[in-house]
Amino acid sequence: MRTYRSMFNYLEREELIEYNPMDKVRLLRQDIDLTNCLTDEEVKAVLAQPNQRDYIVFRDFVAMNLLLDSGMRINEALNLRINEIDFNDVCLHQLLKTS
């Protein structure tokens, strides 16, 4: 739709058309791409912050690594259960839940 709007705006500006049919068309809000929102250096700086000698801080450090490495959403990580973790193969077996 944005391409059509640009094309018709151009045609109207150049006076090639009298009426721009895209004037009354509302564009949908475009979602922000959150992939690669931090550089590698920024990720390293964030992960270097926690004092890993404190249990609570170490827990949060592990959670940050889990989210970064797995691509899980926060809610998925919060709902992860011990039986979904395979400590021998170092992997997660999370069932997909549909609503």
Side-chain angles (χ1 to χ4, degrees):
M1 294 303 272
R2 293 181 195 286
T3 304
Y4 289 128
R5 181 180 291 269
S6 294
M7 180 186 71
F8 281 110
N9 285 342
Y10 170 77
L11 293 173
E12 187 177 39
R13 237 185 354 265
E14 295 295 318
E15 298 178 357
L16 297 171
I17 59 172
E18 291 181 14
Y19 170 73
N20 185 344
M22 294 299 290
D23 279 343
K24 294 184 181 181
V25 175
R26 287 185 48 203
L27 297 177
L28 296 176
R29 188 179 136 254
Q30 189 172 11
D31 290 336
I32 299 170
D33 181 15
L34 295 178
T35 57
N36 300 325
C37 59
L38 295 175
T39 65
D40 289 346
E41 292 77 27
E42 291 169 330
V43 170
K44 288 177 186 175
V46 168
L47 293 177
Q49 293 303 312
N51 175 5
Q52 296 177 29
R53 294 180 187 268
D54 181 65
Y55 172 77
I56 301 288
V57 178
F58 182 69
R59 177 202 62 194
D60 294 346
F61 174 76
V62 171
M64 288 189 298
N65 275 288
L66 174 66
L67 295 171
L68 284 169
D69 290 343
S70 70
M72 280 183 161
R73 294 184 173 108
I74 292 174
N75 194 38
E76 293 170 331
L78 291 173
N79 289 319
L80 190 64
R81 299 294 171 240
I82 193 80
N83 63 336
E84 297 173 324
I85 303 171
D86 185 342
F87 291 100
N88 293 327
D89 290 337
V90 191
C91 66
L92 302 173
H93 301 284
Q94 190 173 32
L95 299 173
L96 296 176
K97 297 167 182 80
T98 58
S99 53

